[in-house]
Amino acid sequence: MKELKGACIIGQSGGPTSVINASALGAIRTALDSGTITRVLGAAHGIRGVLDDRLYDMGKEDPAELELLRYTPSSALGSVRYKMKDPDKDPKDYERILEIFRKYDVRYFFYNGGNDSMDTCNKISKFMRRSGHECRVIGIPKTIDNDLYGTDHCPGYGSAAKFIATTCMEVYQDARVYDTGMITVIEIMGRNAGWLAAAASLACLKGAGPDLVYLPELPFSLERFYIDVEEIYRRTGKVIIGVSEGIRDEKGTYISEYGSAMAQQKDAFGHAQMGGLATTLASLLQERTGAKVRGIELSLLQRCAAHLASLTDIREAYLAGQAAVEAAIGGETDKMVAFRRDTGTRGEYLCRTELIDLHQVANLEKKVPREWINEAGNGMKQEFIDYALPLIQGEPHLPKEDSLPRFARLKKVLTSEV
Amino acid sequence: MKELKGACIIGQSGGPTSVINASALGAIRTALDSGTITRVLGAAHGIRGVLDDRLYDMGKEDPAELELLRYTPSSALGSVRYKMKDPDKDPKDYERILEIFRKYDVRYFFYNGGNDSMDTCNKISKFMRRSGHECRVIGIPKTIDNDLYGTDHCPGYGSAAKFIATTCMEVYQDARVYDTGMITVIEIMGRNAGWLAAAASLACLKGAGPDLVYLPELPFSLERFYIDVEEIYRRTGKVIIGVSEGIRDEKGTYISEYGSAMAQQKDAFGHAQMGGLATTLASLLQERTGAKVRGIELSLLQRCAAHLASLTDIREAYLAGQAAVEAAIGGETDKMVAFRRDTGTRGEYLCRTELIDLHQVANLEKKVPREWINEAGNGMKQEFIDYALPLIQGEPHLPKEDSLPRFARLKKVLTSEV
């Protein structure tokens, strides 16, 4: 097969993770060293950067700073949420992208994101082929939610899971300090899939996990919830509950919206009050049990706590970026890099990359299997622990300066400035 | 001076911190190795454990497990919030304590806590002296709030400050991912003193800190706040604000209560909704600016995130416990261990322990000096950075098991079980 020389564009899309820049580094480094790829361009804010011709020349970056991307959370090139239209319906964006691809002789496009990003890759690839512009398109997976179809797990998940499990263990310690009843509700990210909420149960391995965990895969019943909580509270006086932000009742209403039935009501300033799920459930439990309650929203920290990243996750994220570029140089296109779990000769966890068709991935969600959730629907089974534990392993050697994180400082030189 | 042989009781009191158990270890280890102290008893839930005769024989613990207390957050002996009455008004508790002290021949009492705990020490010591029971009482300082009078800083503060500053840097990365306006309000602990909120500004050293920080030492004006935020938002489209949970307006009303003017109102279940300060301010800013906003409550994590502890803080916490026991064995009583900052021959930060009179400490609060806050009252000056930076230094070698924290597993054998 004839070598395809030309430039590449690397873009980041969708929600950031703690290790998304490790994938960028894997792609950038491999592309810069390839010989085949003649110029490595980073898109400013994903596809928007391509449309606006705002592309960074990654060859101008200090290699030592690039290396620090491994330990720098949150899309360093900038991200975007932009759903591309169907090229048959509205080709304007695609024509613009083609114009840009021709301008820079872009022959490789790597897009790092979740579902929507794989859809974008798919559409772009088809259009380029139709337009007779040879360009190899590979998607690099990413999401803390771990819900991409076709891959054993996603870069970003392991680190978020590690943060959640570690934090649960620390909250467990804190909750037991006073000899008084205490109910703690921990709200964890995850709208449709409960992989993150499930991760809280890893703490149970060390006897310091939540007593109850509720995933959005199952309908949530407030009555059942009260029974679950009260049973434990009566016995021990301490209950820790992990809930996914996406839990819904039988009718499909988000439980987080129960609290904002008062969003119709206003505060002293006439402003609608935003409530949180943890706050709402804690409030309801307080009324119900009279116990001391507290709600904790783990918030963004789950997706940017690079200080507690999983070394396994960092390595695999890098590998995904590297594999994407190697595959494309080798002739592949219209694929997404996926992970396949394997077992080594000593029974150890191994992760291999493979390629799956882009169209298979787009718009499908991978939820937590029902068989991995317990009978009662309020906790995880060993199968989940066996699945998730390897993903959180390993402590990276975090670069610090004055005991604060030393993140990458990129020059981000636009092609227009060169 | 004649050696005073006898048992000691060590108790933990008030809010927990990430390093409170390092102080317990310093005291326990030093007492066990002293030869003078004949038995080392840990009170279950502070003074309550003394009153209820629930005391753990620390000599029965595995030394290797005790060592892990260094890295275990949250009062391992259990804590308590219990304000002792004036012995002249109600001596009942004191008579009971004397009974227990006589039963176990307790000649040393070490109490690790904040203001209230120093007050407890003071009262107990006086009563013992009046009753003719020789007992040396030393307080060991503790509080993430850093507001104890008479000591340069408090064990627990450095680790909380490190967590806050690191988290701010990570949130900064996350906030810049999308090319859209974003205002982030981060709620930080601290009701009356702003040491913790101020710690967020350490992140400014690395160009990744909050744009604005509001401490409770100064009256908070919503109008001034809007001007501050809008000015930055207009220029850059990104604003990160750190606020202490204790900020109050000119009249002394907590700003956090603005949001619960609707606490009078109920939700669909007839339940009062609890609001948070970050949510309230974010809400107000959204109405005011139309910007995308989010509120983050750092919550308990600030006081139990042992995974991000400061090694300096761990060492000093240990030192405080050790110094308390050494001082008491040496004949001291009615003192609190305090830290005095010093400079070494190479200009490096040093921390020395000294003793200050208990009665000087009790009921006084140390607030952030006005001169360390900027003119506009919305940020910190170099003096604060110089003060706080040494306290967050150093990375402990955290013991882990399956990449999850390995906390101390104490047997906690009650004297009644021996």
Side-chain angles (χ1 to χ4, degrees):
Chain A
M1 189 202 57
K2 190 165 154 296
E3 188 189 32
L4 177 63
K5 278 190 177 288
C8 81
I9 289 179
I10 292 162
Q12 298 174 313
S13 167
T17 79
S18 292
V19 303
I20 193 172
N21 294 320
S23 288
L25 178 62
I28 292 167
R29 189 77 266 143
T30 308
L32 284 173
D33 296 346
S34 67
T36 306
I37 291 175
T38 54
R39 199 175 186 193
V40 181
L41 303 171
H45 298 288
I47 204 63
R48 272 250 60 89
V50 183
L51 294 167
D52 299 341
D53 196 356
R54 287 181 61 78
L55 305 166
Y56 304 121
D57 192 325
M58 301 317 290
K60 298 243 169 305
E61 297 294 345
D62 177 345
E65 289 297 332
L66 281 178
E67 270 307 303
L68 293 175
L69 284 172
R70 236 181 259 274
Y71 311 106
T72 305
S74 319
S75 329
L77 302 175
S79 189
V80 69
R81 287 203 187 278
Y82 188 79
K83 183 90 175 171
M84 299 282 282
K85 294 184 186 61
D86 191 320
D88 297 325
K89 297 200 173 110
D90 187 350
K92 194 159 63 74
D93 282 346
Y94 299 87
E95 284 157 1
R96 171 60 172 163
I97 293 171
L98 176 59
E99 185 188 339
I100 298 294
F101 279 19
R102 282 183 174 142
K103 175 179 176 181
Y104 294 99
D105 191 33
V106 173
R107 299 296 173 176
Y108 300 90
F109 180 65
F110 303 106
Y111 212 37
N112 187 197
N115 262 319
D116 286 353
S117 310
M118 299 307 120
D119 183 61
T120 298
C121 284
N122 214 12
K123 290 176 162 124
I124 290 174
S125 182
K126 282 205 177 76
F127 190 85
M128 292 304 139
R129 197 162 32 253
R130 241 167 51 190
S131 309
H133 178 86
E134 184 175 9
C135 181
R136 297 176 188 162
V137 177
I138 307 279
I140 304 167
K142 174 284 306 176
T143 174
I144 59 168
D145 291 308
N146 201 41
D147 62 353
L148 272 177
Y149 179 85
T151 174
D152 180 82
H153 56 281
C154 303
Y157 175 65
S159 297
K162 185 172 190 153
F163 176 81
I164 291 163
T166 300
T167 297
C168 281
M169 288 185 67
E170 292 167 341
V171 168
Y172 180 96
Q173 306 306 314
D174 190 284
R176 272 154 182 73
V177 147
Y178 295 110
D179 194 17
T180 50
M182 172 63 79
I183 301 178
T184 306
V185 182
I186 304 175
E187 179 182 340
I188 300 163
M189 277 176 161
R191 292 294 273 176
N192 297 322
W195 295 98
L196 286 172
S201 66
L202 288 167
C204 299
L205 265 182
K206 306 299 171 188
D211 303 277
L212 302 161
V213 175
Y214 297 94
L215 276 52
E217 277 79 352
L218 302 177
F220 182 86
S221 148
L222 212 45
E223 282 314 310
R224 183 71 240 178
F225 175 64
Y226 288 146
I227 292 169
D228 286 351
V229 175
E230 285 174 310
E231 195 275 321
I232 298 169
Y233 187 73
R234 258 196 302 271
R235 268 191 297 115
T236 72
K238 303 281 187 191
V239 194
I240 296 179
I241 304 142
V243 288
S244 165
E245 60 177 339
I247 53 171
R248 271 157 293 183
D249 61 23
E250 291 277 357
K251 297 197 191 98
T253 307
Y254 285 106
I255 308 302
S256 59
E257 279 166 27
Y258 281 23
S260 53
M262 76 192 308
Q264 308 309 321
Q265 306 182 29
K266 310 280 182 181
D267 69 9
F269 295 89
H271 307 289
Q273 184 77 335
M274 296 189 287
L277 175 62
T279 305
T280 299
L281 288 176
S283 211
L284 292 170
L285 285 169
Q286 184 187 52
E287 294 259 349
R288 179 87 174 190
T289 64
K292 216 176 158 202
V293 303
R294 56 191 186 187
I296 299 175
E297 195 193 326
L298 292 185
S299 188
L300 299 178
L301 278 46
Q302 296 161 85
R303 71 181 193 186
C304 60
H307 67 267
L308 198 46
S310 152
L311 182 57
T312 296
D313 193 15
I314 292 175
R315 285 188 174 142
E316 292 178 358
Y318 182 97
L319 189 65
Q322 174 184 8
V325 174
E326 288 176 344
I329 288 173
E332 297 282 354
T333 186
D334 291 76
K335 304 283 189 198
M336 180 187 88
V337 172
F339 291 149
R340 183 165 52 79
R341 186 181 299 236
D342 219 338
T343 312
T345 47
R346 284 167 288 116
E348 76 277 22
Y349 163 85
L350 292 174
C351 178
R352 312 224 184 267
T353 58
E354 53 185 22
L355 301 171
I356 67 174
D357 291 339
L358 270 176
H359 71 263
Q360 282 190 312
V361 178
N363 304 320
L364 285 172
E365 260 173 355
K366 193 178 79 183
K367 304 198 179 190
V368 178
R370 177 65 185 89
E371 321 84 69
W372 289 10
I373 305 170
N374 66 12
E375 195 77 40
N378 58 22
M380 305 309 297
K381 289 164 73 174
Q382 190 60 36
E383 284 89 329
F384 171 78
I385 303 293
D386 292 343
Y387 166 84
L389 194 60
L391 308 181
I392 71 169
Q393 299 304 307
E395 322 309 317
H397 191 80
L398 298 168
K400 297 210 178 188
E401 203 175 71
D402 296 315
S403 270
L404 290 168
R406 173 59 167 88
F407 293 146
R409 290 170 195 148
L410 303 184
K411 293 174 194 155
K412 287 166 106 166
V413 181
L414 291 169
T415 54
S416 53
E417 294 165 17
V418 177
Chain B
M1 189 202 59
K2 190 165 152 299
E3 189 191 30
L4 177 63
K5 278 191 177 288
C8 80
I9 289 179
I10 293 162
Q12 298 173 315
S13 168
T17 78
S18 291
V19 302
I20 192 172
N21 294 320
S23 288
L25 178 63
I28 293 167
R29 190 77 265 145
T30 307
L32 284 173
D33 296 345
S34 68
T36 306
I37 292 175
T38 55
R39 199 175 186 194
V40 181
L41 303 171
H45 298 287
I47 204 63
R48 272 251 61 88
V50 183
L51 294 167
D52 300 342
D53 196 355
R54 287 181 60 77
L55 305 166
Y56 305 121
D57 191 326
M58 302 316 291
K60 298 243 171 299
E61 297 293 345
D62 176 345
E65 289 297 333
L66 282 178
E67 271 307 303
L68 293 175
L69 285 173
R70 237 180 258 274
Y71 311 106
T72 305
S74 318
S75 330
L77 302 176
S79 189
V80 69
R81 286 202 188 278
Y82 188 80
K83 183 90 176 174
M84 298 282 283
K85 295 185 186 63
D86 192 317
D88 297 325
K89 295 196 174 116
D90 187 350
K92 195 158 63 72
D93 281 346
Y94 299 87
E95 284 157 1
R96 171 59 172 163
I97 293 171
L98 176 58
E99 185 188 338
I100 297 295
F101 278 19
R102 282 183 174 143
K103 175 179 177 182
Y104 294 99
D105 191 33
V106 172
R107 299 296 173 176
Y108 300 90
F109 180 66
F110 303 105
Y111 213 36
N112 188 196
N115 264 318
D116 286 354
S117 310
M118 300 307 121
D119 183 62
T120 297
C121 283
N122 215 11
K123 291 178 162 120
I124 288 174
S125 182
K126 283 207 177 76
F127 190 86
M128 292 305 139
R129 196 160 34 251
R130 241 169 49 191
S131 310
H133 177 86
E134 184 175 7
C135 180
R136 297 176 188 161
V137 177
I138 306 278
I140 305 168
K142 173 285 306 176
T143 175
I144 59 168
D145 292 309
N146 201 41
D147 61 354
L148 272 178
Y149 179 85
T151 176
D152 179 82
H153 57 280
C154 303
Y157 175 65
S159 296
K162 185 172 189 153
F163 176 81
I164 290 162
T166 301
T167 297
C168 279
M169 288 186 66
E170 292 167 340
V171 168
Y172 180 97
Q173 306 305 314
D174 190 283
R176 271 152 183 74
V177 147
Y178 296 111
D179 195 19
T180 51
M182 172 62 78
I183 300 178
T184 307
V185 182
I186 303 175
E187 179 182 342
I188 300 163
M189 278 178 162
R191 292 294 272 176
N192 298 323
W195 296 99
L196 286 173
S201 66
L202 287 168
C204 299
L205 265 181
K206 307 299 171 187
D211 302 278
L212 303 161
V213 175
Y214 297 94
L215 276 52
E217 278 79 352
L218 302 177
F220 182 87
S221 149
L222 213 44
E223 283 314 311
R224 184 71 241 178
F225 176 64
Y226 288 147
I227 293 170
D228 287 350
V229 175
E230 285 174 310
E231 195 275 323
I232 297 170
Y233 187 72
R234 258 196 302 270
R235 269 191 295 116
T236 71
K238 303 280 188 194
V239 194
I240 296 180
I241 304 143
V243 289
S244 166
E245 61 178 336
I247 54 172
R248 271 157 292 183
D249 61 23
E250 292 276 359
K251 298 199 191 97
T253 306
Y254 286 106
I255 308 302
S256 59
E257 279 166 26
Y258 281 24
S260 53
M262 76 193 308
Q264 308 310 319
Q265 304 181 30
K266 311 280 183 182
D267 68 12
F269 294 89
H271 307 289
Q273 183 77 334
M274 296 189 285
L277 175 63
T279 304
T280 299
L281 288 177
S283 210
L284 292 170
L285 285 169
Q286 183 186 54
E287 296 259 350
R288 179 86 175 192
T289 64
K292 215 175 161 208
V293 304
R294 56 192 187 186
I296 299 174
E297 196 192 327
L298 292 186
S299 187
L300 299 179
L301 278 46
Q302 297 161 83
R303 71 181 193 187
C304 60
H307 67 267
L308 198 46
S310 151
L311 182 57
T312 296
D313 194 13
I314 292 175
R315 286 188 174 143
E316 293 178 358
Y318 182 96
L319 188 66
Q322 174 184 6
V325 174
E326 287 176 344
I329 287 173
E332 297 281 355
T333 186
D334 292 75
K335 304 283 188 196
M336 180 186 88
V337 173
F339 292 149
R340 183 167 52 80
R341 186 180 299 235
D342 219 337
T343 311
T345 47
R346 286 168 288 114
E348 76 278 23
Y349 162 85
L350 292 175
C351 177
R352 313 227 184 264
T353 57
E354 53 184 22
L355 301 172
I356 66 175
D357 291 338
L358 270 176
H359 71 264
Q360 282 189 309
V361 179
N363 304 320
L364 284 172
E365 259 173 356
K366 194 178 77 181
K367 304 198 179 187
V368 178
R370 177 65 185 88
E371 322 83 71
W372 289 10
I373 305 170
N374 66 12
E375 195 76 41
N378 58 22
M380 304 309 296
K381 290 164 74 173
Q382 190 60 36
E383 284 90 329
F384 172 77
I385 303 293
D386 293 342
Y387 167 84
L389 195 60
L391 308 182
I392 72 169
Q393 299 304 306
E395 322 309 317
H397 192 80
L398 298 169
K400 298 211 178 187
E401 203 175 72
D402 296 315
S403 269
L404 290 168
R406 173 60 166 87
F407 293 147
R409 291 170 194 148
L410 302 184
K411 294 175 194 155
K412 289 165 106 166
V413 181
L414 291 168
T415 53
S416 53
E417 295 165 15
V418 176

